[in-house]
PDB file of all heavy atoms in Angstrom:
ATOM      1  N   THR A  24     -11.329  -0.015  24.385  1.00  0.00           N
ATOM      2  CA  THR A  24     -11.656  -1.272  23.753  1.00  0.00           C
ATOM      3  C   THR A  24     -12.868  -1.852  24.455  1.00  0.00           C
ATOM      4  O   THR A  24     -12.851  -2.020  25.668  1.00  0.00           O
ATOM      5  CB  THR A  24     -10.474  -2.263  23.843  1.00  0.00           C
ATOM      6  OG1 THR A  24      -9.349  -1.650  23.229  1.00  0.00           O
ATOM      7  CG2 THR A  24     -10.796  -3.553  23.131  1.00  0.00           C
ATOM      8  N   PRO A  25     -13.945  -2.156  23.697  1.00  0.00           N
ATOM      9  CA  PRO A  25     -15.134  -2.705  24.329  1.00  0.00           C
ATOM     10  C   PRO A  25     -14.827  -4.044  24.981  1.00  0.00           C
ATOM     11  O   PRO A  25     -14.016  -4.815  24.483  1.00  0.00           O
ATOM     12  CB  PRO A  25     -16.124  -2.882  23.172  1.00  0.00           C
ATOM     13  CG  PRO A  25     -15.558  -2.132  22.024  1.00  0.00           C
ATOM     14  CD  PRO A  25     -14.100  -1.967  22.268  1.00  0.00           C
ATOM     15  N   SER A  26     -15.508  -4.306  26.095  1.00  0.00           N
ATOM     16  CA  SER A  26     -15.318  -5.594  26.755  1.00  0.00           C
ATOM     17  C   SER A  26     -16.132  -6.651  26.020  1.00  0.00           C
ATOM     18  O   SER A  26     -17.043  -6.349  25.276  1.00  0.00           O
ATOM     19  CB  SER A  26     -15.757  -5.501  28.216  1.00  0.00           C
ATOM     20  OG  SER A  26     -17.161  -5.367  28.274  1.00  0.00           O
ATOM     21  N   HIS A  27     -15.769  -7.906  26.247  1.00  0.00           N
ATOM     22  CA  HIS A  27     -16.494  -8.996  25.609  1.00  0.00           C
ATOM     23  C   HIS A  27     -17.904  -9.136  26.158  1.00  0.00           C
ATOM     24  O   HIS A  27     -18.735  -9.765  25.539  1.00  0.00           O
ATOM     25  CB  HIS A  27     -15.736 -10.313  25.791  1.00  0.00           C
ATOM     26  CG  HIS A  27     -14.435 -10.353  25.036  1.00  0.00           C
ATOM     27  ND1 HIS A  27     -14.350 -10.115  23.696  1.00  0.00           N
ATOM     28  CD2 HIS A  27     -13.178 -10.586  25.440  1.00  0.00           C
ATOM     29  CE1 HIS A  27     -13.094 -10.209  23.298  1.00  0.00           C
ATOM     30  NE2 HIS A  27     -12.364 -10.482  24.345  1.00  0.00           N
ATOM     31  N   SER A  28     -18.191  -8.547  27.315  1.00  0.00           N
ATOM     32  CA  SER A  28     -19.504  -8.700  27.921  1.00  0.00           C
ATOM     33  C   SER A  28     -20.536  -7.738  27.338  1.00  0.00           C
ATOM     34  O   SER A  28     -21.720  -7.922  27.532  1.00  0.00           O
ATOM     35  CB  SER A  28     -19.418  -8.510  29.435  1.00  0.00           C
ATOM     36  OG  SER A  28     -18.976  -7.198  29.726  1.00  0.00           O
ATOM     37  N   SER A  29     -20.098  -6.717  26.626  1.00  0.00           N
ATOM     38  CA  SER A  29     -21.050  -5.792  26.024  1.00  0.00           C
ATOM     39  C   SER A  29     -21.059  -5.968  24.508  1.00  0.00           C
ATOM     40  O   SER A  29     -20.039  -6.303  23.908  1.00  0.00           O
ATOM     41  CB  SER A  29     -20.692  -4.348  26.387  1.00  0.00           C
ATOM     42  OG  SER A  29     -19.435  -4.011  25.862  1.00  0.00           O
ATOM     43  N   PRO A  30     -22.207  -5.720  23.888  1.00  0.00           N
ATOM     44  CA  PRO A  30     -22.283  -5.864  22.430  1.00  0.00           C
ATOM     45  C   PRO A  30     -21.364  -4.855  21.733  1.00  0.00           C
ATOM     46  O   PRO A  30     -21.191  -3.740  22.207  1.00  0.00           O
ATOM     47  CB  PRO A  30     -23.744  -5.558  22.105  1.00  0.00           C
ATOM     48  CG  PRO A  30     -24.478  -5.565  23.386  1.00  0.00           C
ATOM     49  CD  PRO A  30     -23.479  -5.336  24.474  1.00  0.00           C
ATOM     50  N   LEU A  31     -20.807  -5.261  20.633  1.00  0.00           N
ATOM     51  CA  LEU A  31     -19.947  -4.390  19.834  1.00  0.00           C
ATOM     52  C   LEU A  31     -20.783  -3.815  18.701  1.00  0.00           C
ATOM     53  O   LEU A  31     -21.308  -4.551  17.873  1.00  0.00           O
ATOM     54  CB  LEU A  31     -18.763  -5.185  19.275  1.00  0.00           C
ATOM     55  CG  LEU A  31     -17.732  -4.415  18.472  1.00  0.00           C
ATOM     56  CD1 LEU A  31     -17.056  -3.359  19.343  1.00  0.00           C
ATOM     57  CD2 LEU A  31     -16.688  -5.364  17.915  1.00  0.00           C
ATOM     58  N   THR A  32     -20.923  -2.510  18.670  1.00  0.00           N
ATOM     59  CA  THR A  32     -21.715  -1.853  17.630  1.00  0.00           C
ATOM     60  C   THR A  32     -20.867  -1.647  16.384  1.00  0.00           C
ATOM     61  O   THR A  32     -19.633  -1.719  16.430  1.00  0.00           O
ATOM     62  CB  THR A  32     -22.216  -0.485  18.120  1.00  0.00           C
ATOM     63  OG1 THR A  32     -21.079   0.371  18.318  1.00  0.00           O
ATOM     64  CG2 THR A  32     -23.034  -0.618  19.405  1.00  0.00           C
ATOM     65  N   LEU A  33     -21.532  -1.351  15.274  1.00  0.00           N
ATOM     66  CA  LEU A  33     -20.810  -1.020  14.044  1.00  0.00           C
ATOM     67  C   LEU A  33     -19.909   0.189  14.255  1.00  0.00           C
ATOM     68  O   LEU A  33     -18.764   0.210  13.807  1.00  0.00           O
ATOM     69  CB  LEU A  33     -21.790  -0.711  12.910  1.00  0.00           C
ATOM     70  CG  LEU A  33     -22.421  -1.864  12.190  1.00  0.00           C
ATOM     71  CD1 LEU A  33     -23.450  -1.357  11.181  1.00  0.00           C
ATOM     72  CD2 LEU A  33     -21.377  -2.704  11.479  1.00  0.00           C
ATOM     73  N   VAL A  34     -20.436   1.199  14.940  1.00  0.00           N
ATOM     74  CA  VAL A  34     -19.667   2.423  15.190  1.00  0.00           C
ATOM     75  C   VAL A  34     -18.417   2.097  16.008  1.00  0.00           C
ATOM     76  O   VAL A  34     -17.319   2.546  15.683  1.00  0.00           O
ATOM     77  CB  VAL A  34     -20.535   3.474  15.914  1.00  0.00           C
ATOM     78  CG1 VAL A  34     -19.701   4.656  16.366  1.00  0.00           C
ATOM     79  CG2 VAL A  34     -21.671   3.927  15.021  1.00  0.00           C
ATOM     80  N   ALA A  35     -18.582   1.315  17.061  1.00  0.00           N
ATOM     81  CA  ALA A  35     -17.442   0.970  17.919  1.00  0.00           C
ATOM     82  C   ALA A  35     -16.426   0.134  17.164  1.00  0.00           C
ATOM     83  O   ALA A  35     -15.219   0.327  17.312  1.00  0.00           O
ATOM     84  CB  ALA A  35     -17.925   0.230  19.167  1.00  0.00           C
TER      85      ALA A  35
END
Side-chain angles (χ1 to χ4, degrees):
T24 302
S26 70
H27 292 305
S28 62
S29 63
L31 183 63
T32 65
L33 280 175
V34 171

